[in-house]
Amino acid sequence: FTSYFQYVGVARFLSMSESALLKLSLLTGDLWAVLFSVVAEHIIPPPLFWPALAMIISGVFVYEIAPSPIVGNGDVIDEGVVELSADYT
């Protein structure tokens, strides 16, 4: 039952935005898990986790400052097809 909401939510998100943003957002979900384990359970993650998390967050930042590759406001040209702007061809 939960998978249904996940699939519907992902499909709805992808109809309005890019898949790269979805992947970057899913990668930052680890931050909330680590915050919970540090605060509630007093478990510190391995040292390599912090540089990896910094790289993920910097990827989200770089992605957000660039212009969107989708033409217009997410206008769908044909069902399931999104036209890219001339900058990305």
Side-chain angles (χ1 to χ4, degrees):
F1 189 67
T2 306
S3 295
Y4 172 77
F5 289 114
Q6 178 184 0
Y7 293 132
V8 169
V10 166
R12 179 80 173 137
F13 182 87
L14 290 176
S15 69
M16 296 183 294
S17 187
E18 300 98 27
S19 62
L21 181 60
L22 175 66
K23 284 304 237 184
L24 290 171
S25 299
L26 291 174
L27 286 171
T28 57
D30 293 337
L31 171 65
W32 304 115
V34 167
L35 284 176
F36 173 78
S37 59
V38 168
V39 172
E41 300 176 354
H42 304 291
I43 298 173
I44 306 297
L48 283 179
F49 174 81
W50 303 111
L53 182 64
M55 288 173 48
I56 291 170
I57 292 173
S58 66
V60 171
F61 180 73
V62 167
Y63 181 81
E64 287 295 327
I65 62 172
S68 176
I70 294 180
V71 173
N73 294 329
D75 296 335
V76 176
I77 306 303
D78 190 10
E79 187 173 320
V81 179
V82 176
E83 183 180 338
L84 295 177
S85 67
D87 297 337
Y88 291 94
T89 57

